[in-house]
């Protein structure tokens, strides 16, 4: 643990030296890159703070907004009061620069945080306020974000069927507006992770298959920065393997589990090996291979 901390500190020091030798504009670009990089792990908060400091020094609202967004993301699951403090600082920037996607995502995160803290009355009123703001700004995606936050609240409070129905409404609205595939994929991913019946599960898997085929036909390899096509394919095959386990369909499990394992290996998908090992155990047990089906 100590070695990891020392290593992280050394890496930060090295990157700070790189940043120190850059001209002003390049400093902002580099700090912005580091603050938004998944490779930085927990260090992204350090670089987000540094980006905010440098952006305020240079009076650059674009990078200041970027820094605040990352800081808010950090506090979202850690400290609701700190999150709210930085939201107040970010809001005028997002309004003035019409960064509505960031504005609404930030406000939706806050609703998730309220939900996690059990603040029921605040959740409902915040959802309605966010929807009204979406209408005022003529930003339909804001209503989707508000409804997703409300659906999450339903799940948190045990209203599972209401949450599923709301997710389905959101997906229908997205399809009518031809919203980006990445947003639609996020909803289908949520639905596949919920307790939906077999008919619905097959329906959404077929939709996912259609998205994959459409991307392959158009040569699209990334739905967005967070969703490479190979991960969408992985989720598709993993979900089918889970369905096979529920149906005790050995052929379905074997076919899709093998595809999921290949995607994890070939695309170096992190943090999924344990999940696949668990699915492989279920397969052995379903096949009555009890010797290999022991955890």
């Amino acid at each position: 643990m100590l070695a990891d901390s020392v290593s992280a500190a050394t890496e930060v020091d090295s990157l700070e030296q790189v940043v120190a030798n850059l001209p002003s504009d390049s400093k902002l670009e580099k700090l912005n890159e580091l603050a938004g990089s998944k490779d930085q792990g927990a260090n992204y908060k350090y670089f987000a703070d540094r980006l905010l400091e440098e952006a305020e020094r240079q009076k650059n609202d674009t990078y200041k907004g970027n820094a605040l967004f990352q800081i808010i993301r950090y506090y979202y699951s850690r400290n609701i009061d700190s999150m709210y403090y930085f939201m107040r600082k970010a809001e005028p920037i997002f309004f003035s620069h019409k960064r509505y996607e960031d504005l609404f995502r930030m406000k939706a995160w806050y609703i998730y945080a309220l939900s996690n803290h059990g603040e029921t009355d605040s959740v409902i009123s915040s959802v309605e306020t966010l929807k009204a703001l979406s209408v005022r700004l003529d930003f339909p995606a804001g209503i989707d974000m508000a409804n997703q936050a409300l659906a999450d609240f339903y799940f948190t409070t045990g209203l599972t069927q209401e949450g599923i129905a709301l997710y389905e409404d959101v997906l229908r609205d997205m399809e009518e507006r031809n919203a980006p595939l990445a947003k639609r994929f996020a909803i289908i991913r949520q639905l596949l992770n919920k307790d939906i019946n077999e008919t619905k599960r097959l329906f959404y898997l077929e939709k996912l298959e259609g998205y994959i085929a459409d991307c392959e036909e158009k040569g699209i390899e990334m739905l967005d920065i967070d969703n490479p096509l190979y991960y969408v394919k992985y989720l598709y095959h993993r979900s089918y393997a889970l369905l096979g386990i529920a149906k005790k369909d050995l052929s379905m499990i074997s076919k899709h589990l093998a595809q999921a394992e290949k995607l994890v290996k070939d695309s170096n998908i992190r943090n999924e090996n344990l999940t696949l090992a668990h699915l492989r155990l279920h397969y052995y047990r379903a096949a009555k291979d009890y010797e290999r089906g022991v955890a």
Side-chain angles (χ1 to χ4, degrees), residues 170-186:
V170 170
L171 183 60
R172 279 191 291 270
D173 288 344
M174 285 182 173
E175 289 179 332
E176 286 177 8
R177 295 197 324 273
N178 196 28
L181 276 179
K183 292 181 179 292
R184 287 181 264 168
F185 166 63

Side-chain angles (χ1 to χ4, degrees), residues 7-20 22 27-55 63-64 66-68 70-71 73-74:
S7 176
T10 302
E11 183 181 2
V12 166
D13 288 343
S14 298
L15 289 168
E16 276 285 16
Q17 290 178 18
V18 171
V19 171
L22 294 172
K27 275 184 184 178
L28 286 172
E29 290 177 9
K30 184 63 177 178
L31 288 169
N32 186 65
E33 174 193 324
L34 293 170
S37 172
K38 290 183 177 180
D39 294 336
Q40 289 305 315
N43 284 344
Y44 84 84
K45 168 60 165 55
Y46 171 85
F47 288 110
D49 288 338
R50 285 283 290 110
L51 176 60
L52 180 59
E53 174 188 303
E54 185 65 25
Y63 284 112
K64 184 177 176 182
N66 292 356
L68 288 167
Q70 295 298 344
I71 292 169
R73 180 166 72 94
Y74 175 83

Side-chain angles (χ1 to χ4, degrees), residues 78-97:
R78 291 174 173 85
N79 187 310
I80 192 171
D81 293 329
S82 294
M83 180 186 184
Y84 185 73
Y85 170 77
F86 286 104
M87 281 176 61
R88 293 291 298 272
K89 291 170 70 75
E91 193 167 303
I93 294 174
F94 293 160
F95 267 118
S96 65
H97 290 261

